[in-house]
Amino acid sequence: MLLHLALGLSIVVLIAVAVGPRTGTYRTVSVLTGSMQPTMPPGSLLVVVPVEPASLAVGDVITFEAPTVDHPVVTHRIVQVLESGEHPVIRTQGDANDAPDAWVARISEAPAWRVAMVVPQAGRAISFLRGPLPRTLAIYVTPLLILLLMMWNIWSRPAMGEVCEV
């Protein structure tokens, strides 16, 4: 019973984290730094939902590419809307930071992504699953286990013409 419950929960988590974001109704983002502490500590998993850029307002927490050379993905709070409209220009700041970010950002692509939910520590699991060990297990060990299970299933059957006691 417990095994069935764990399997069912695993399937639900897989659909929520891996399949669901492919629909475009939401995305998942792992928090890597402490700039949004205490509400979004490192290791948290964020669920971000698409919104029209024109609807962004001061206080919203959004995920976007920073307008810097390497374009890191940043999740910060909007502290000022400098230009509103279809492609707003905003200033952001991490909740744990003393000052606003050094840049202003124009949200030029629709949709914008607003934080809808924070799941503490779930991002650590996602980061681990993206690592080399789980990848190696998925590519090599899982198919080997399936093959061994299939062979065991074939070899454990009685041979044709062999008498089976019931």
Side-chain angles (χ1 to χ4, degrees):
M1 177 67 181
L2 190 58
L3 184 60
H4 289 122
L5 182 62
L7 179 62
L9 182 61
S10 298
I11 291 170
V12 168
V13 169
L14 174 68
I15 290 170
V17 174
V19 178
R22 304 277 185 224
T23 65
T25 56
Y26 64 93
R27 289 182 179 174
T28 56
V29 179
S30 297
V31 177
L32 302 176
T33 70
S35 69
M36 287 299 290
Q37 289 193 85
T39 55
M40 298 173 207
S44 296
L45 180 77
L46 307 179
V47 176
V48 295
V49 295
V51 296
E52 288 300 318
S55 72
L56 295 176
V58 171
D60 288 343
V61 178
I62 63 169
T63 298
F64 63 101
E65 285 187 16
T68 60
V69 176
D70 53 350
H71 300 287
V73 174
V74 176
T75 300
H76 280 175
R77 187 174 308 278
I78 298 174
V79 294
Q80 186 178 13
V81 177
L82 301 168
E83 289 179 31
S84 56
E86 190 176 330
H87 301 289
V89 176
I90 58 170
R91 182 175 305 280
T92 57
Q93 179 177 341
D95 289 353
N97 296 346
D98 293 333
D101 297 325
W103 62 77
V104 294
R106 177 176 297 279
I107 306 300
S108 58
E109 293 185 19
W113 295 91
R114 182 184 296 148
V115 173
M117 184 169 61
V118 179
V119 184
Q121 301 304 320
R124 291 192 195 281
I126 301 301
S127 294
F128 171 77
L129 291 172
R130 289 182 180 153
L133 177 63
R135 185 171 305 209
T136 301
L137 290 174
I139 292 172
Y140 298 109
V141 177
T142 303
L144 180 62
L145 289 174
I146 292 170
L147 179 65
L148 290 173
L149 182 62
M150 290 170 59
M151 291 171 62
W152 180 78
N153 191 26
I154 291 169
W155 290 337
S156 66
R157 292 184 189 161
M160 296 283 291
E162 205 175 284
V163 177
C164 236
E165 292 184 28
V166 182

